[in-house]
């Protein structure tokens, strides 16, 4: 709406991506803050609680906590984007498909868990993966239809290593699947996934903005891809929605985001990394998600190969819980690691 208004009335202020991104942030933030208490009251009355695995430490303390808060900040994000973004931009369309698509997959999984009262119910692993692949294919299809370049870049080099060509399709799908499930694994403590997600959105949003800016991209020696900078608005809106959600999700959490939120966040972070040609850098930007995922892989691999566990429990945040670390100490320390890693990722942009 603001973009169309700027075109219709020749209001230059609303023509700037940075201005509309600021509006999107505050719109999503305010809507989430306003609607979340109403959703909380409804969820408590309907017993829409988060089923907690009996194996998770101190699970009794959280079993009455409502879930699917992700539906609120995702709705606020989409609404803010519809008001502020250029909806004729194919990259905005791809971002909306990614957010809504992965959010719906998570929503279906959450509903199954709530209705059964069992954290192991919901979608089957194969069904969940199949739906994630479907959404990833749709998002990838939009990128290819928009003529998105398929060159593969790595940090510290100003030129691409090679052109992926049609191999970009399975590669991008893999990036989507890895990131969505990594964020999903991290969402196990109050606010643990929320703040690293906000930090990653800021970093990737800036990278995408620079990639879409003719002057900044030339100065920083990054590829210039026309039109992708508009997606900063969507990233800003999601960051605003997540900040509003954090008001209720910080320790001790009044609500969880559920798979509805975590899968959508992961999918959109992957989408931003692809747009910014930062798929490799995503490992550093999403370092907490990587650490959590690797801890699970190592745990499962070690147990199958050697019959021994490396950690007391995986993902690794549960290991520290069983080591008697206070929950809020684990959370804040993980936030600090995320912040430092993202600063290093942004610094790396100057070294090309």
């Amino acid at each position: 709406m603001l973009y169309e208004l700027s075109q219709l009335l020749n209001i230059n202020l609303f023509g700037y991506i940075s201005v509309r991104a600021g509006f999107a942030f505050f719109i999503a933030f305010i809507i989430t803050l306003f609607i979340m208490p109403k959703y909380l009251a409804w969820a408590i009355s309907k017993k829409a609680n988060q089923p907690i695995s009996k194996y998770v430490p101190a699970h009794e303390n959280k079993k009455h906590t409502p879930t699917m808060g992700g539906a609120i900040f995702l709705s606020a994000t989409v609404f803010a984007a519809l008001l502020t973004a250029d909806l004729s931009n194919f990259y905005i369309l791809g971002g909306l498909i990614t957010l809504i698509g992965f959010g719906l997959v998570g929503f279906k999984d959450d509903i199954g868990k709530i209705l059964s009262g069992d954290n192991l119910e919901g979608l089957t692993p194969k069904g969940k993966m199949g739906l994630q692949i479907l959404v990833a294919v749709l998002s990838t299809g939009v990128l290819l239809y928009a003529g998105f370049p398929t060159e593969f870049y790595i940090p510290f080099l100003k030129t691409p290593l090679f052109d992926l060509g049609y191999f970009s399709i399975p590669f991008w799908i893999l990036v989507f699947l890895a990131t969505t499930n990594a964020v999903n694994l991290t969402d196990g403590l109050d606010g643990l996934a929320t703040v690293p997600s906000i930090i990653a959105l800021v970093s990737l949003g800036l990278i995408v903005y620079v990639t879409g800016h003719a002057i900044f991209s030339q100065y920083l020696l990054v590829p210039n891809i026309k039109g992708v900078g508009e997606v900063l608005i969507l990233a800003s809106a999601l960051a605003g929605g997540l900040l509003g959600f954090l008001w209720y999700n910080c320790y001790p959490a009044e609500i969880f985001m559920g798979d509805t939120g975590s899968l959508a966040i992961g999918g959109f972070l992957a989408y931003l990394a692809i747009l910014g040609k930062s798929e490799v850098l995503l490992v550093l930007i999403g370092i907490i998600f990587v650490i959590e995922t690797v801890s699970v892989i190592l745990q499962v691999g070690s147990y199958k190969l050697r019959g021994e566990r490396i950690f007391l429990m995986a993902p690794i945040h549960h290991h520290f819980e069983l080591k008697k670390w206070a929950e809020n100490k684990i959370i804040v320390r993980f936030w600090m690691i995320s912040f430092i890693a993202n600063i290093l990722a942004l610094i790396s942009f100057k070294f090309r």
Side-chain angles (χ1 to χ4, degrees), residues 38-212:
K38 303 178 187 303
Y39 173 76
L40 270 170
W42 176 85
I44 291 170
S45 68
K46 298 297 182 182
K47 300 187 185 303
N49 301 328
Q50 172 71 51
I52 305 294
S53 171
K54 63 182 179 181
Y55 301 107
V56 173
H59 65 94
E60 288 293 328
N61 298 335
K62 301 176 184 289
K63 68 178 182 179
H64 298 300
T65 306
T67 188
M68 289 204 305
I72 304 303
F73 67 71
L74 283 180
S75 299
T77 298
V78 172
F79 181 75
L82 292 177
L83 287 180
T84 57
D86 175 9
L87 301 180
S88 66
N89 185 300
F90 266 103
Y91 299 118
I92 287 290
L93 175 62
L96 290 172
I97 288 174
T98 300
L99 274 176
I100 297 171
F102 282 108
L104 288 174
V105 175
F107 181 82
K108 185 171 178 59
D109 194 38
D110 285 335
I111 286 292
K113 292 175 182 177
I114 290 170
L115 293 178
S116 66
D118 189 341
N119 191 56
L120 297 177
E121 295 297 330
L123 289 171
T124 63
K126 288 184 178 179
K128 190 174 182 178
M129 184 63 70
L131 290 174
Q132 287 177 303
I133 291 173
L134 176 61
V135 178
V137 168
L138 289 173
S139 301
T140 299
V142 171
L143 290 175
L144 293 175
Y145 184 80
F148 188 74
T150 56
E151 289 87 0
F152 179 71
Y153 287 80
I154 62 172
F156 308 114
L157 292 182
K158 61 183 179 182
T159 56
L161 279 185
F162 47 78
D163 190 344
L164 284 166
Y166 288 112
F167 287 104
S168 61
I169 298 174
F171 175 65
W172 291 342
I173 291 173
L174 180 63
V175 173
F176 276 116
L177 296 180
T179 313
T180 52
N181 289 290
V183 176
N184 189 225
L185 283 172
T186 306
D187 184 33
L189 296 179
D190 303 352
L192 181 61
T194 307
V195 170
S197 295
I198 294 172
I199 295 171
L201 283 167
V202 172
S203 296
L204 288 168
L206 289 173
I207 291 171
V208 167
Y209 179 69
V210 167
T211 302

Side-chain angles (χ1 to χ4, degrees), residues 261-276:
S262 62
L263 292 184
I265 293 169
F268 188 66
L269 289 177
Y271 183 73
L272 287 174
I274 292 168
L275 289 185

Side-chain angles (χ1 to χ4, degrees), residues 251-330:
Y251 181 85
E254 299 172 61
I255 190 168
F256 298 134
M257 68 171 69
D259 284 14
T260 307
S262 62
L263 292 184
I265 293 169
F268 188 66
L269 289 177
Y271 183 73
L272 287 174
I274 292 168
L275 289 185
K277 294 297 179 183
S278 301
E279 298 96 338
V280 175
L281 200 59
L282 182 59
V283 174
L284 188 57
I285 290 173
I287 189 66
I288 293 300
F289 311 132
V290 173
I291 290 171
E292 295 275 33
T293 304
V294 170
S295 72
V296 173
I297 294 171
L298 290 175
Q299 184 86 325
V300 173
S302 176
Y303 188 75
K304 286 187 175 181
L305 294 174
R306 304 187 303 144
E308 297 180 7
R309 293 179 174 87
I310 297 175
F311 308 104
L312 296 176
M313 188 174 182
I316 198 170
H317 59 260
H318 291 317
H319 170 81
F320 292 119
E321 280 190 286
L322 291 173
K323 294 280 284 185
K324 304 303 180 184
W325 285 26
E327 182 174 346
N328 54 349
K329 179 177 287 189
I330 299 169

